[in-house]
Amino acid sequence: MCGIIGYVGGKQAAPVLLKGLQRLEYRGYDSSGIAVVDSDNIDVIKTTGKVATLCEKANGGKKLNGNIGIGHTRWATHGAPSDVNSHPHLSADGRFCIVHNGIIENFAELKSDIIAHGLPFKSDTDSEVIAQLIQYLYDGDMISTLRKVMERVTGSYAVGILSADAPDTLYAIRKDNPLVVGLGQNENFIASDFAAALEHTHNFVQLNDGEIARLTSRAVTFFDNNGNTVEKTPYLVDWDISLAEKDGYPHFMLKEIYEQPKAIKSTLSPRIKGDNIILDKIDFSANNVNRINRVNIVGCGSAYHAGIVGKHFIEKYCRIGVDCILASEYIYSNPITDNRTLTIVISQSGETADSLAALRLAKKCGSHTIAIVNVIQSAIAREADNVLYTYAGPEIAVATTKGYTTQVAALYLVGLKIAKVKHIISDARYSELLGELALLPDKISEILKDTDKIKQYAEGYAEHKCVFFIGRNTDYAASLEGALKLKEISYIHAEAYAAGELKHGTISLIEKGTVTLALVTQSDLYSKMLSNIKAVQSRGGDVLAISSYNNKQIGEEADGLLTIPDCDDDVTPILTAVVLQIFAYYIAAKRGCDIDKPRNLAKSVTVE
Ligand code: M6R
């Protein structure tokens, strides 16, 4: 999705903005631009294509003088990717300039109103309306003008604003779209995420919905929607900027795959104290836990898939009914949610619009909400009643890897905690599972030590048009994630099916040479899976099985075998996920795909 960076300080702004935009590239975009205030003029350079093209056009920033500016990477929603539709957008008189993330829902109505008052528009975007509206409503005071703007626009927005009349001041407003303010030494920043400003500062403040930020190089002031000043406490983001760099890996995705042993350890170890699971500040007293009669897990994409693994685990050990629901469906479904429902919202970015809307709906229905989130102080983290950070570190590749596996790990902790408080898991089994969780980082490292075989199979399948994934129960959940990973980065059509469903329709798609990945990690389901494998093979399909070292028979029956280290059946989804991530990665690499930034996709989906 779109990215914003804004700078005010003593340095030449344009190079800082260009560097910030490079840091935001991972979010997905199709065009970019920067604007800088030079004395009392606002100069804009923008272009379609990569930030590298913008850098060339701006001669590395040298073409623009001035110490204050805004930059943007655009992911087109309204109006095709084009130079004119790229941000920043100037008002008709050139005195105001904006960058915008989000969607202005009433832009058409506002636009015709403004055009009727004689202000011409240049672009097809919804965003330009904000620049024009500022000019139209300007009363000599930017704070009061921005308040009026916010009263008029509906939709979601994070906006960075320059005014030629205030050449040393940068403004920002937001509603339902992320925006942080970075506090530096005699320089300050606005950014749609930390990554853009992290090499300059680790101190950030969140701008809340309806608030306005006014930044000069020496001071930052916040206003609420009544125009009153608001005090805010900065927080420290201790992410190391090197974590947002490739560090010798050809792609962020591969680097992040390899970071999983550390990431899982960071999710688990602070919360496992001997035989005790301490889930941060969440009150898992018997009273609270025994009140829960239903768990809803909500998320999108991979977060939803993590939720399905969690559903199996929680139902098995806590004996509470769990629904795992796509956030985009949940919000329009009149969901069964009340004050005895525990709602777990999962989101790596913590900014996904559908998941945020689901969280708000669950709260409105009286549910207690827990967010499982990676990005610190993100909207979902802040709005949920409780938050469990996964501590995976920054995830840059659009395809989530460590984000997903750490979500699953966090769900295991929640499940075990509830089961223990409810006294429905034996002490022995509880300790056994805790032990299994603690071993996961080493087992992932074992997979990562030698990935040649996975790579070999992946490259062998790189020319296929379609790949199926099958499995039962948690293996089906893991199949869904494996298929998503493959399709999003390699553009191969990939589909996951519950293995038992094949015979109800899907098997008609199997013909000579069709590839099916069969996940066979659940010992009580081996024989059932074997029958499914046979059914695929007898229609000419090739089956690559994924199973544990000790499951020799599957290896003999399937056409190929990839193994995960021996482990408890309940925790296999994390290990199979790692194998499937590597599989998808090498297929996409062989096909020459843009692995970290797949076409049409964005890292953080902040619009519905
Ligand atoms: O940031 P979130 O976890 O809320 O994102 C949810 C999905 O958009 C995300 O998992 C998406 O499906 C990934 N591209 C999958 O790799």
Side-chain angles (χ1 to χ4, degrees), residues 13-49:
V16 177
L17 298 174
L18 290 170
K19 192 72 204 289
L21 292 183
Q22 279 162 358
R23 298 265 181 219
L24 293 172
E25 281 190 288
Y26 78 94
R27 293 166 69 97
Y29 71 105
D30 43 55
S31 52
S32 58
I34 53 173
V36 170
V37 186
D38 183 8
S39 339
D40 70 342
N41 264 332
I42 302 176
D43 298 325
V44 177
I45 299 184
K46 50 190 191 173
T47 181
T48 44

Side-chain angles (χ1 to χ4, degrees), residues 11 56 156 174 253 277 294 344 351 438 476 508 539 576:
K11 298 177 187 141
E56 256 171 53
S156 68
R174 82 155 256 179
M253 182 179 176
I277 297 176
R294 171 188 202 94
I344 304 177
E351 299 288 355
Y476 171 50
S508 64
R539 273 125 192 122
T576 45

Side-chain angles (χ1 to χ4, degrees), residues 300-303 347-349 352 398-400 407 484-485 488 605:
C300 304
S302 297
S347 174
Q348 186 284 131
S349 63
T352 301
V398 163
T400 181
Q407 287 162 354
L484 176 61
K485 215 82 306 169
E488 70 179 329
V605 186

